[in-house]
Amino acid sequence: MDIASHQKRLITGVVLAAFVFLAMLFQGWVLFTVLALFCAFTLWEFYDLFRDHQGIKTIKSLGTAFTFLLLGAFTNGDLMYPAVITIFAFWISAFIFLFRYSADMTASFVQAMIFLTGLIYIPVNFHFFLKFNRWECVLVIAAAALSDTAAFYAGTMWGDKKIWPKISPKKSWVGSLAGFGACVVGTTAYGLAFGDAPFWQWLLLGAALNIAAQMGDFFESALKRSLAVKDSGHFLPGHGGFLDRVDSLLLVVPTYGLLNSVHPFFP
């Protein structure tokens, strides 16, 4: 990677980190607003991957509205509210399909599946941020960032043997192992300093979060390749789109949320 691209990537990362830091510092409505806007932009990019499908403009508008509804429902603390919103989203998409099919017998239910998948993939996965404390927010973001950064630079410099070329031609075994090591070491060091769990549990958590990060990255790569798309967007210089930047985080967040519900890692 040339120096100019590296500088763009670094500056964009610093700006994003500043926004995240401010959101975590103030939390409350500030965190909700930043998270909701970020989810809306990311979801818009996800739907735009399917731009060749009929009705995507309607899906984009509906998805943005339901992002705010879903995240607002999750702030209540009762899972009944987001469940109702999700069911409502299903029936909205089902009725749109119903009326389109009555007008055109070739109409497909695929649009409804894209709509619902996007809601689960982005706002539902990211809603855990509203439940995490500051230490946990830093942990999951750092785990994803360490995984991506170490894998990127190690793979760029020494990655000759590719790990899954049919899915992601640039990702290498060296990069994968570097990301794994960085995530495990970083998670363990951070956890021992600020958390409340024994050494071996932090090691296992770091391993689980890195595997989640890599699989999240591979999933988005496969999705883009299947749709013949290189980047999800061009809004973030050096990174592509919002979805390109958080593809690994989208699986790290719910993975930590699940493991933390079984065994809390912070007091």
Side-chain angles (χ1 to χ4, degrees):
M1 183 173 65
D2 58 64
I3 295 176
S5 297
H6 176 76
Q7 289 175 336
K8 288 180 181 179
R9 187 179 182 90
L10 183 61
I11 292 171
T12 302
V14 170
V15 172
L16 287 175
F19 274 105
V20 172
F21 174 77
L22 289 174
M24 291 188 300
L25 181 64
F26 292 101
Q27 290 199 315
W29 69 270
V30 177
L31 175 61
F32 176 84
T33 303
V34 171
L35 182 64
L37 289 173
F38 191 83
C39 284
F41 280 119
T42 307
L43 188 62
W44 189 276
E45 287 186 350
F46 172 79
Y47 289 143
D48 197 52
L49 295 176
F50 302 90
R51 63 181 69 96
D52 293 334
H53 286 70
Q54 180 186 14
I56 286 298
K57 290 184 178 180
T58 302
I59 288 175
K60 286 181 179 179
S61 300
L62 281 174
T64 301
F66 271 94
T67 292
F68 287 87
L69 287 174
L70 267 174
L71 291 177
F74 276 116
T75 61
N76 184 275
D78 189 336
L79 289 179
M80 180 188 75
Y81 294 98
V84 169
I85 296 296
T86 304
I87 293 170
F88 183 54
F90 167 77
W91 282 111
I92 287 289
S93 59
F95 286 140
I96 290 175
F97 162 72
L98 171 64
F99 290 113
R100 279 184 174 163
Y101 190 74
S102 68
D104 181 0
M105 300 294 283
T106 63
S108 171
F109 194 65
V110 170
Q111 290 80 13
M113 291 188 288
I114 293 171
F115 172 57
L116 292 171
T117 298
L119 292 178
I120 296 170
Y121 183 36
I122 296 166
V124 171
N125 275 334
F126 268 169
H127 92 275
F128 288 98
F129 275 116
L130 300 173
K131 311 296 182 183
F132 294 162
N133 59 38
R134 291 185 180 92
W135 304 109
E136 292 172 320
C137 288
V138 171
L139 174 70
V140 294
I141 292 172
L146 285 170
S147 298
D148 290 347
T149 304
F152 177 80
Y153 286 108
T156 299
M157 291 186 287
W158 304 297
D160 294 326
K161 190 171 183 180
K162 306 307 177 183
I163 186 172
W164 206 345
K166 288 185 178 180
I167 300 299
S168 186
K170 293 183 179 180
K171 292 182 176 60
S172 65
W173 280 102
V174 169
S176 177
L177 292 173
F180 183 86
C183 183
V184 170
V185 171
T187 298
T188 303
Y190 182 85
L192 292 176
F194 304 108
D196 184 26
F199 175 78
W200 66 271
Q201 290 184 0
W202 290 112
L203 285 176
L204 292 179
L205 177 64
L209 295 184
N210 177 259
I211 292 171
Q214 294 199 47
M215 294 309 296
D217 197 356
F218 279 126
F219 168 74
E220 199 230 356
S221 294
L223 182 62
K224 289 190 298 184
R225 288 180 70 81
S226 71
L227 297 169
V229 175
K230 183 178 185 297
D231 294 318
S232 66
H234 306 283
F235 192 81
L236 302 176
H239 293 271
F242 286 98
L243 186 57
D244 294 322
R245 180 62 275 168
V246 299
D247 52 2
S248 56
L249 189 61
L250 280 163
L251 192 51
V252 169
V253 171
T255 297
Y256 176 78
L258 173 63
L259 295 175
N260 187 61
S261 67
V262 176
H263 175 79
F265 289 91
F266 289 88

